[in-house]
Amino acid sequence: MTAVPLSILDLAPIPTGGTAGGALRDTVELARNAEQWGYRRFWLAEHHLVPGVASSSPAVLIAAVAAATRHIRVGSGAVLLGQHSPLQVAEDFGTLAQLHPDRIDLGLGRSGLAKYVEFAKAATGDSAPVTAPEPAYVDGLPVPRTARGGSLSKARLEQLEGHALLLGDTGRSDYADQVREVLAFLDGTFRDGGGREAHAITAEHAALQVWVLGASAGPSSRAAGELGLPFVSNYHVTPSTVLDSAASYRDSFAPSPRLDRPHLVVSADVLVAEDDATAQELATPFAGWVHDIRHGDGAQPYPSPDEARRRHWTEAERARVADRVQTRIVGSPETVVERLEVLRRVTGADELLITTVTHDPKDRLRSYELLAGAWSRS
């Protein structure tokens, strides 16, 4: 086996009966432990206007995590450029890097909400039956397609349109140009449309790394390659496109002052327990949580296994999340290490980014602890 580093992507999930404050404190505690267990990076996601995720302001939470740790890299997974100006992003993360030099990662993503609403509207009225994707494997790696069919309600579409407006997401900005602007502010080379200089003093030449995150062979993977930046392919979000996005990144890569060869990180949903049966029990709520994100009102407070078992399912609902359930890596340390090695081998990942959600924060901590120990011995 070729060992690669493990990193963490955390959402500060809020369990049923929990609070945002409690979730944020649990995330800081997880970061302290992750540093001791040998994880390379600790990244925070950006989610807005949902009751089940407290990681809505990555830069602020990164500041808290960096202050509570000593050497682990801390960053965003990702700051969504459709919802922030490049100047604001450069100044926020430049400030963080001035305070914590050589420890800050600026992960850049596209918001996608306005575009998602546009796509969902086009699919409204689709009467095709929702069917689960056929299991598909590439050299042992499950790469199922996302289920087709089904649409969001009119009320949900209107709600998402309102959210996009609140977030300032019009869906009209060119992503690669936005990334270039961030880089220009960091490099001190920014010029506006009239050729005038503008300098973000806290950002210029700050000691940080810039990353691009994406889920398809589209603008994100191409921007990362063309600009010579490291790239994260989100297997845990859309597993069907992981190989295409990785290939797109490598095919478009051009060396830059920041990176001389492609550096690919692949994310994965993971849950580890002492044995397979315990892990599967703790994983019971996952399918319903994902369904709420994809087809309901967004991420809800994460239920307990007992609460999840009381949920009533239709075949169509199960089909809508089958790809995520099939590709979540759940089991004992030995089982999970074996499956992660398949993911690493097939994608050629230089690093794996692990995300774990459980109802009880103690189970989340234990999962990362068991994984770190097993990975170091493999």
Side-chain angles (χ1 to χ4, degrees):
M1 168 179 171
T2 303
V4 300
L6 296 182
S7 294
I8 290 175
L9 172 62
D10 194 60
L11 286 71
I14 303 172
T16 53
T19 64
L24 294 169
R25 287 187 287 273
D26 288 335
T27 284
V28 174
E29 179 64 19
L30 173 60
R32 290 193 187 101
N33 282 278
E35 182 171 70
Q36 295 177 8
W37 296 329
Y39 286 91
R40 173 168 288 188
R41 311 174 199 278
F42 192 91
W43 285 3
L44 288 310
E46 178 178 347
H47 291 266
H48 298 279
L49 302 170
V50 291
V53 172
S55 182
S56 57
S57 183
V60 175
L61 191 49
I62 288 166
V65 169
T69 53
R70 295 180 59 190
H71 58 78
I72 192 171
R73 298 194 66 91
V74 188
S76 56
V79 165
L80 304 177
L81 277 178
Q83 298 164 187
H84 306 273
S85 75
L87 172 59
Q88 176 191 353
V89 172
E91 289 184 330
D92 284 350
F93 280 77
T95 299
L96 289 167
Q98 299 293 352
L99 294 170
H100 306 281
D102 295 317
R103 289 189 58 204
I104 301 300
D105 294 333
L106 169 53
L108 299 171
R110 300 167 67 209
S111 128
L113 185 55
K115 289 291 186 184
Y116 174 73
V117 172
E118 182 180 320
F119 174 81
K121 279 185 171 181
T124 298
D126 184 357
S127 59
V130 182
T131 56
E134 290 295 324
Y137 292 86
V138 176
D139 198 14
L141 177 70
V143 190
R145 295 190 177 277
T146 303
R148 300 185 64 85
S151 58
L152 296 176
S153 69
K154 180 180 178 182
R156 178 57 173 161
L157 285 172
E158 291 175 348
Q159 182 186 47
L160 290 175
E161 279 187 304
H163 289 180
L165 290 173
L166 289 172
L167 294 166
D169 180 3
T170 64
R172 296 174 183 168
S173 299
D174 181 271
Y175 180 65
D177 285 346
Q178 289 179 304
V179 177
R180 289 188 183 95
E181 284 192 20
V182 171
L183 296 177
F185 281 121
L186 294 174
D187 293 340
T189 60
F190 181 83
R191 301 293 186 277
D192 66 16
R196 293 175 292 269
E197 296 183 8
H199 293 277
I201 299 304
T202 55
E204 288 190 10
H205 310 298
L208 56 76
Q209 292 182 9
V210 181
W211 296 70
V212 171
L213 287 81
S216 67
S220 297
S221 59
R222 291 194 299 270
E226 292 168 0
L227 297 172
L229 299 173
F231 179 64
V232 181
S233 180
N234 293 330
Y235 181 65
H236 83 282
V237 176
T238 53
S240 64
T241 58
V242 63
L243 298 179
D244 292 337
S245 65
S248 170
Y249 168 59
R250 292 188 176 108
D251 289 346
S252 60
F253 185 83
S256 75
R258 288 179 168 83
L259 196 64
D260 60 1
R261 64 178 183 84
H263 186 91
L264 175 70
V265 176
V266 176
S267 66
D269 259 311
V270 172
L271 178 54
V272 188
E274 278 74 6
D275 54 69
D276 289 345
T278 301
Q280 291 294 341
E281 167 68 8
L282 295 176
T284 305
F286 182 71
W289 188 71
V290 170
H291 191 276
D292 290 338
I293 292 172
R294 282 184 168 180
H295 299 281
D297 291 327
Q300 300 299 300
Y302 203 83
S304 69
D306 286 341
E307 290 170 325
R309 273 189 285 270
R310 295 196 289 270
R311 181 171 181 142
H312 298 289
W313 287 86
T314 65
E315 288 187 16
E317 288 171 338
R318 290 194 182 278
R320 289 172 182 151
V321 297
D323 62 322
R324 291 286 303 274
V325 174
Q326 291 169 14
T327 53
R328 194 184 198 201
I329 300 176
V330 177
S332 67
E334 296 75 20
T335 296
V336 169
V337 165
E338 181 179 354
R339 289 189 59 190
L340 282 175
E341 167 55 17
V342 172
L343 177 63
R344 184 217 60 80
R345 173 174 52 80
V346 175
T347 61
D350 299 292
E351 192 171 329
L352 296 175
L353 182 65
I354 308 302
T355 184
T356 297
V357 182
T358 61
H359 173 72
D360 189 333
K362 293 178 182 177
D363 293 324
R364 182 155 123 256
L365 272 172
R366 183 60 173 155
S367 177
Y368 281 117
E369 181 182 19
L370 289 170
L371 175 58
W375 194 252
S376 68
R377 295 190 299 270
S378 63

